[in-house]
Amino acid sequence: MRPYKKLTIICSFMSLFSLAMCLFLHYSFTSKEADFWVNVSLAVFGSALLSALTALVSYFHEKRTTLESFLYHCKNLLHVINKYQDSMSLEDKMKFYLDYHDLDKSAWNADYGNLDFFTEKITGSRKYIYEKIYYPILLFNQAVNEHVWHFRWYFDGSGKSTEAMEMFVGQLEQHLLYKNEKSIPTDYDETGKPIAFCEITSLESKLVQEISRELNGRYYTIMYGKHHRK
């Protein structure tokens, strides 16, 4: 997206400048030499305008392709993250984080880096994608990176502290899981007022749900437009 955006802007500026020069020379001078430069300006104008239109068409094609690719790579990461379960053993959780760390995320990063919108100052689309989609995943990735060597040291025996590993895993789970505690009435008095409760804790996939909601919401509109969404 970014190269085509820059090319469109440069070619549009060249076409406007050459058109202005053509009009200036045509109405200000009547010599044969002036006619020559008018023809040169017209040639530059035509070439620049054609290049600008070509770059603009390529930009919209690249925009959709990049957004679809970023969506695909986001969903791949979320698919892996969604495999994480609170019921897993401590060692299985650490192995999960080690496997996740080894995933190739370069294409995902490259897709975001290639995003560039003509109407960014008005719509704030790239800022929205960064704040609501890219940054939460990036923050989790960075948190995992901070503890990778701790987990490796645990498995090779040089840093085998179960208490420390449980603390590190708990910190990472804050990015992944909601823990909702609810009080369910189990007994009532004669007036129907609850007098005994049972505490129930439910877990929800925090990161996956939040990112999926954004990908299926405003992001989808940015990618395909409001008309397609309807």
Side-chain angles (χ1 to χ4, degrees):
M1 290 173 65
R2 193 181 301 275
Y4 291 116
K5 176 185 174 181
K6 291 181 178 179
L7 184 60
T8 301
I9 294 173
I10 292 171
C11 291
S12 297
F13 175 79
M14 288 180 62
S15 66
L16 291 174
F17 178 77
S18 58
L19 178 61
M21 286 296 298
C22 176
L23 294 174
F24 173 76
L25 293 170
H26 177 73
Y27 289 107
S28 300
F29 302 94
T30 57
S31 63
K32 291 183 178 180
E33 185 176 349
D35 290 339
F36 169 77
W37 288 111
V38 166
N39 290 331
V40 171
S41 297
L42 282 174
V44 174
F45 168 74
S47 299
L49 181 61
L50 179 61
S51 298
L53 292 175
T54 303
L56 187 62
V57 172
S58 299
Y59 165 82
F60 283 111
H61 172 74
E62 185 70 12
K63 172 188 172 183
R64 180 165 176 170
T65 301
T66 302
L67 287 170
E68 287 178 340
S69 180
F70 183 70
L71 173 69
Y72 171 78
H73 289 115
C74 280
K75 287 191 172 183
N76 274 352
L77 291 178
L78 295 179
H79 176 72
V80 174
I81 293 172
N82 203 38
K83 294 179 180 179
Y84 186 88
Q85 299 294 327
D86 184 63
S87 58
M88 295 164 63
S89 68
L90 177 63
E91 291 194 355
D92 286 339
K93 290 180 178 180
M94 289 189 288
K95 289 178 181 178
F96 169 87
Y97 291 122
L98 289 174
D99 291 339
Y100 178 80
H101 171 266
D102 292 337
L103 285 177
D104 183 8
K105 306 175 187 69
S106 57
W108 174 75
N109 278 304
D111 287 337
Y112 174 76
N114 195 32
L115 294 177
D116 199 358
F117 301 93
F118 277 110
T119 58
E120 176 62 24
K121 291 185 178 180
I122 300 173
T123 62
S125 296
R126 193 173 193 272
K127 180 181 178 183
Y128 157 76
I129 293 172
Y130 175 81
E131 293 179 348
K132 298 296 184 180
I133 300 173
Y134 180 79
Y135 182 68
I137 297 177
L138 179 65
L139 200 63
F140 173 65
N141 294 346
Q142 292 173 342
V144 172
N145 293 343
E146 290 177 0
H147 296 303
V148 164
W149 284 107
H150 297 144
F151 297 152
R152 287 177 177 169
W153 291 332
Y154 176 89
F155 285 113
D156 68 20
S158 58
K160 208 170 184 65
S161 172
T162 302
E163 293 76 12
M165 297 306 111
E166 289 177 345
M167 181 182 69
F168 295 147
V169 167
Q171 291 173 357
L172 294 174
E173 285 184 342
Q174 292 178 8
H175 294 271
L176 298 183
L177 302 174
Y178 282 123
K179 290 189 177 181
N180 296 325
E181 296 183 355
K182 298 181 180 179
S183 297
I184 307 297
T186 57
D187 196 9
Y188 301 85
D189 60 16
E190 296 178 354
T191 63
K193 183 179 179 180
I195 57 176
F197 298 87
C198 176
E199 298 294 332
I200 296 179
T201 300
S202 61
L203 295 174
E204 297 178 7
S205 184
K206 176 183 178 181
L207 188 62
V208 172
Q209 287 189 6
E210 290 180 349
I211 301 301
S212 296
R213 183 167 57 248
E214 299 299 338
L215 291 174
N216 295 324
R218 183 179 171 182
Y219 184 87
Y220 192 90
T221 302
I222 294 172
M223 185 166 55
Y224 293 122
K226 293 181 179 179
H227 178 72
H228 194 283
R229 181 172 177 79
K230 291 179 181 179

